[in-house]
Amino acid sequence: MKISEIRDLLGAAVLCGDEMDRDILSACGSDMMSDVLAYVKNQAVLLTGLVNPQVIRTAVMMDMICIIFVRSKQPSAQMIEFAEENGLTVLTTPLRMYEACGKLYAAGLKGNGEVNE
Amino acid sequence: MSEPLKFTYSVDGDNFTSAGQASVQVKKVLRRLGLDPETIRRVSIAMYEGEINMVIHAGGGEAEVLIHEDCVEIILRDKGPGIADIEQAMQEGFSTAPDNIRSLGFGAGMGLPNMKRYTDDMQIESQVGVGTTITMRVNL
C-alpha cells in the first residue's frame, strides 16, 4: 500500500516526507517501543499514540519508513527534523488507534506477523 | 590480523530524551562502512536497547563498538546497581523499571531478551552494587 493511500484512508496530515509513492508492506500499532523493536520487519509503518523522541529513534533503528501519530498528536519540531534527516515520512491522523489500524487492515494492509509467516 | 576499528561513546544517564544517540551514531558509521542492512539493523537495535537500559537502571555508562573481521562486538559498561538474578532479568516481561519509564514506551521487560534475540552471542557480567558489563557479538 502506498503512503498516499494511507494518508487518504486516515484523513491524515503530512508533517514531513515527500515520498508518497513509497510502498508499505506491513504495519504495527503500539505505544510500547520495546514491542516494536521485538517484532517489526522492513518497510513497515508504525502507528502510535506515544509522542517522544524515542518513537523516531525506534523507527530509525528498525528501518521503518513511516510513522503515524493517532488522535491528532503533534510531535515537536525537533522530532520532525530528526525524522526528516533519516528519510522518514510522518503523518498525524485525528482517528484513534483502533480505528486507524482497522481502516488500514480492512483496506488490505497486513500486520507484521502475517507478512513474515 | 589487523586491529579492529573501535568507537567509544559515553551514555548520559540523566536524560531519557537523549537515550539512543550513541546507537544512532553507530548506525551511521556502519552504513558508511558498507555493512549489509540486516547486520546494521541487528547491531543498532541491540545497542539501542542496551543504551536505554543503562539510562533507566544505571545512570548511564560507556559503550564501545569494535568492528572485527568476522563480527561486530558491542561492549556496554555501567557502574549501576547490578543485576541480582540474571536468569529472571532475561525473561520476557520481567521488569524492574519505574512506571514513568513505561509511560515513555519502555520498561516492558523486553530489553535484554531483545538484545539476545538480535545478536549471535551475549554475555552478562554483573555484580550487585558494582555494575554490569554486557558483551554482544553479531557475526559478519
Side-chain angles (χ1 to χ4, degrees):
Chain A
M1 183 178 287
K2 293 197 190 312
I3 295 179
S4 57
E5 290 173 74
I6 292 177
R7 176 198 61 200
D8 296 345
L9 281 163
L10 303 183
V14 180
L15 301 179
C16 77
D18 49 13
E19 297 179 293
M20 292 297 127
D21 280 344
R22 273 192 91 173
D23 252 324
I24 301 278
L25 301 181
S26 69
C28 165
S30 182
D31 290 350
M32 290 307 300
M33 292 304 111
S34 283
D35 283 345
V36 178
L37 288 163
Y39 303 117
V40 173
K41 288 274 181 179
N42 275 340
Q43 264 182 273
V45 59
L46 170 65
L47 294 103
T48 188
L50 184 72
V51 185
N52 69 40
Q54 303 304 349
V55 175
I56 315 282
R57 276 197 203 104
T58 297
V60 170
M61 293 301 154
M62 301 302 287
D63 297 328
M64 298 178 100
I65 55 185
C66 180
I67 301 173
I68 301 161
F69 290 101
V70 297
R71 284 185 283 127
S72 298
K73 297 217 170 169
Q74 292 288 337
S76 66
Q78 205 184 355
M79 285 171 66
I80 293 176
E81 196 182 316
F82 181 50
E84 221 163 9
E85 273 171 30
N86 286 280
L88 282 162
T89 298
V90 179
L91 310 179
T92 182
T93 172
L95 298 177
R96 294 176 187 184
M97 177 73 103
Y98 181 73
E99 295 155 1
C101 292
K103 283 198 182 209
L104 297 184
Y105 196 89
L109 185 61
K110 294 295 181 195
N112 206 257
E114 295 168 306
V115 171
N116 294 331
E117 273 159 20
Chain B
M1 267 294 268
S2 55
E3 283 289 303
L5 274 173
K6 182 170 147 182
F7 302 90
T8 50
Y9 303 88
S10 154
V11 177
D12 176 7
D14 298 326
N15 188 356
F16 186 78
T17 308
S18 66
Q21 278 176 346
S23 307
V24 172
Q25 291 306 316
V26 167
K27 185 155 191 162
K28 279 185 191 153
V29 167
L30 298 182
R31 269 198 193 136
R32 218 175 302 138
L33 290 170
L35 268 65
D36 88 283
E38 191 54 31
T39 304
I40 296 174
R41 213 159 78 108
R42 290 171 61 203
V43 170
S44 31
I45 295 167
M47 179 165 167
Y48 181 49
E49 287 278 21
E51 222 187 314
I52 297 270
N53 273 349
M54 284 202 283
V55 175
I56 297 175
H57 298 286
E62 218 175 66
E64 198 174 296
V65 176
L66 295 126
I67 298 154
H68 300 278
E69 276 176 21
D70 59 346
C71 74
V72 178
E73 189 178 19
I74 309 153
I75 304 167
L76 306 170
R77 290 188 192 90
D78 71 57
K79 295 193 172 85
I83 305 168
D85 185 340
I86 292 175
E87 205 180 313
Q88 190 179 35
M90 285 304 300
Q91 285 169 17
E92 284 196 2
F94 177 82
S95 176
T96 57
D99 282 345
N100 69 315
I101 294 297
R102 265 180 280 274
S103 67
L104 294 167
F106 288 89
M110 294 298 285
L112 287 171
N114 274 353
M115 288 156 72
K116 193 174 173 61
R117 188 194 320 259
Y118 285 105
T119 55
D120 292 300
D121 184 63
M122 177 165 105
Q123 303 295 333
I124 304 177
E125 285 167 53
S126 191
Q127 210 178 326
V128 173
V130 178
T132 301
T133 298
I134 297 187
T135 307
M136 296 177 281
R137 279 194 308 112
V138 173
N139 295 335
L140 294 175

